[in-house]
């Protein structure tokens, strides 16, 4: 799943790889997937995009947006993007195929759910989630300072758990269940710990962990549980993930545990992340 680190890494890679390429053909919704979402009629994507030149790619939370001379390609967090050089074999099934004049291609596929939107610039501005992602203060920016971070602690969220605080209600778009595990370990907070029980020291620890953990994930080219646009796994080794269950915690040696919580999995160290 695309989260903040992968969206940043993917955008960097796409800017180095496809910027300036001319779109030759677009095929959308070739492989049926009932949880693939499109803007309007996907059969019209080719007419909208054919002949346009790709410009900058930008990350917005866990989303990626590619500008194309007045049109936009926008991908949600459930989309897997892969770049293929000319001559490489393309996958038989896909939800979006963009081929370029030099024979290379960008392919979007959806496993569980995901949006693959193409539209004239400005046409999705009224969509709540799109607008929230684009208007949010990026956690790795200078604007996301401690004073801004404190504004996220509204009265309505104080009784929520640390996981719910970080990953729900678009407080920090793109910060999801994947990256929050290491963030909370580095802050020494259990995913179920209530926000209204945090001390000032713990609040500051969480702030610094958000910034430093996300930066480390980006510097590592994404998490080792995800693959980049070339199909390579990230080099950031996750401390808490499906790869580390029942392994010693890298910080204290305690056992890494897994539980089901809030409709998904949480991972935590039984020793240094007490509830």
């Amino acid at each position: 799943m695309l989260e903040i680190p992968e969206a940043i890494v993917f955008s960097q890679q796409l800017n180095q790889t496809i910027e300036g390429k001319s779109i030759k053909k677009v095929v959308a919704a070739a492989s049926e997937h009932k949880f693939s979402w499109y803007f309007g009629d996907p059969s019209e994507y080719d007419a909208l995009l054919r002949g346009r030149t790709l410009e900058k790619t930008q990350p917005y939370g866990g989303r990626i947006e590619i500008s194309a001379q007045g049109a936009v390609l926008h991908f949600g967090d459930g989309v897997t993007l892969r770049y293929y050089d000319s001559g490489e074999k393309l996958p038989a099934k896909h939800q979006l195929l963009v081929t370029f004049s030099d024979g290379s291609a960008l392919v979007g596929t959806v496993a569980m759910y995901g949006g693959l939107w193409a539209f004239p610039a400005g046409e999705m501005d009224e969509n709540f989630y799109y607008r929230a992602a684009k208007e949010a203060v990026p956690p790795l920016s200078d604007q996301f300072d401690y004073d801004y971070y404190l504004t996220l602690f509204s009265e309505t969220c104080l009784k929520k758990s640390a996981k719910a605080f970080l990953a729900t209600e678009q407080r920090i778009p793109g910060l999801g269940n994947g990256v929050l595990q290491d963030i909370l370990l580095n802050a020494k907070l259990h995913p179920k710990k209530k926000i209204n029980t945090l001390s000032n020291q713990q609040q500051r620890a969480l702030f610094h962990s958000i910034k430093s953990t996300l930066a480390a994930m980006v510097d590592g080219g994404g998490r080792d549980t995800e693959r980049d646009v070339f199909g390579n796994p990230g080099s950031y080794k996750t401390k808490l993930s499906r790869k580390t269950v029942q392994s010693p915690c890298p910080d204290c040696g305690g056992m890494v545990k897994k539980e089901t919580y809030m409709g998904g999995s949480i991972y935590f160290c039984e020793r240094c992340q007490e509830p």
Side-chain angles (χ1 to χ4, degrees):
M1 297 286 285
L2 281 175
E3 295 190 32
I4 290 169
E6 288 72 38
I8 294 173
V9 171
F10 276 40
S11 295
Q12 293 170 346
Q13 292 176 328
L14 291 174
N15 279 323
Q16 295 168 358
T17 307
I18 66 172
E19 184 178 356
K21 289 182 183 283
S22 177
I23 298 174
K24 181 179 180 181
K25 186 178 180 180
V26 178
V27 178
S31 302
E32 185 177 353
H33 191 298
K34 66 179 181 179
F35 294 115
S36 294
W37 305 311
Y38 301 91
F39 184 90
D41 184 351
S43 68
E44 297 178 358
Y45 281 16
D46 183 65
L48 172 66
L49 294 167
R50 183 190 290 258
R52 295 182 189 263
T53 298
L54 295 182
E55 300 166 322
K56 286 291 182 184
T57 301
Q58 297 282 352
Y60 295 106
R63 296 163 172 247
I64 292 171
E65 182 165 289
I66 308 171
S67 300
Q69 295 182 305
V72 172
L73 273 166
H74 190 87
F75 301 98
D77 60 0
V79 176
T80 297
L81 288 177
R82 293 287 183 270
Y83 172 79
Y84 294 85
D85 273 322
S86 177
E88 285 192 271
K89 185 178 180 180
L90 301 177
K93 293 185 177 181
H94 47 73
Q95 279 66 55
L96 185 70
L97 169 63
V98 182
T99 55
F100 306 114
S101 57
D102 65 356
S104 61
L106 184 67
V107 176
T109 57
V110 175
M112 296 176 61
Y113 63 86
L116 312 99
W117 301 284
F119 49 89
E123 289 294 306
M124 264 188 63
D125 288 354
E126 297 307 312
N127 179 282
F128 170 77
Y129 294 100
Y130 177 80
R131 191 173 67 250
K134 294 198 73 172
E135 293 178 354
V137 176
L140 291 180
S141 68
D142 292 339
Q143 291 75 25
F144 195 103
D145 57 16
Y146 191 68
D147 287 338
Y148 173 80
Y149 162 78
L150 290 178
T151 68
L152 303 178
F153 290 83
S154 65
E155 288 294 327
T156 58
C157 78
L158 293 181
K159 293 184 179 180
K160 294 184 181 296
S161 66
K163 173 180 174 174
F165 171 73
L166 289 176
T168 64
E169 298 180 19
Q170 299 295 303
R171 289 183 190 86
I172 309 177
L175 198 165
N177 195 56
V179 301
L180 70 80
Q181 312 292 341
D182 279 16
I183 288 173
L184 291 176
L185 175 65
N186 291 335
K188 296 297 176 277
L189 298 175
H190 194 282
K192 294 182 180 180
K193 188 169 183 65
K194 299 300 183 183
I195 289 299
N196 61 2
T197 68
L198 297 185
S199 65
N200 289 337
Q201 183 178 359
Q202 288 173 321
Q203 277 191 336
R204 286 194 173 273
L206 180 56
F207 167 73
H208 290 298
S209 182
I210 291 171
K211 304 276 280 189
S212 62
T213 305
L214 290 176
M217 290 175 173
V218 173
D219 290 344
R223 293 167 286 156
D224 60 357
T225 54
E226 306 296 325
R227 293 184 179 272
D228 64 16
V229 297
F230 306 111
N232 302 314
S235 297
Y236 171 86
K237 294 189 180 300
T238 48
K239 296 180 178 181
L240 299 181
S241 70
R242 64 178 184 271
K243 289 177 171 285
T244 65
V245 177
Q246 297 301 317
S247 298
C249 169
D251 291 350
C252 74
M255 190 63 66
V256 173
K257 298 289 189 179
K258 175 184 178 181
E259 289 184 8
T260 300
Y261 179 61
M262 288 181 60
S265 297
I266 54 172
Y267 304 88
F268 58 93
C269 170
E270 62 181 358
R271 183 183 298 170
C272 64
Q273 285 176 283
E274 294 183 4

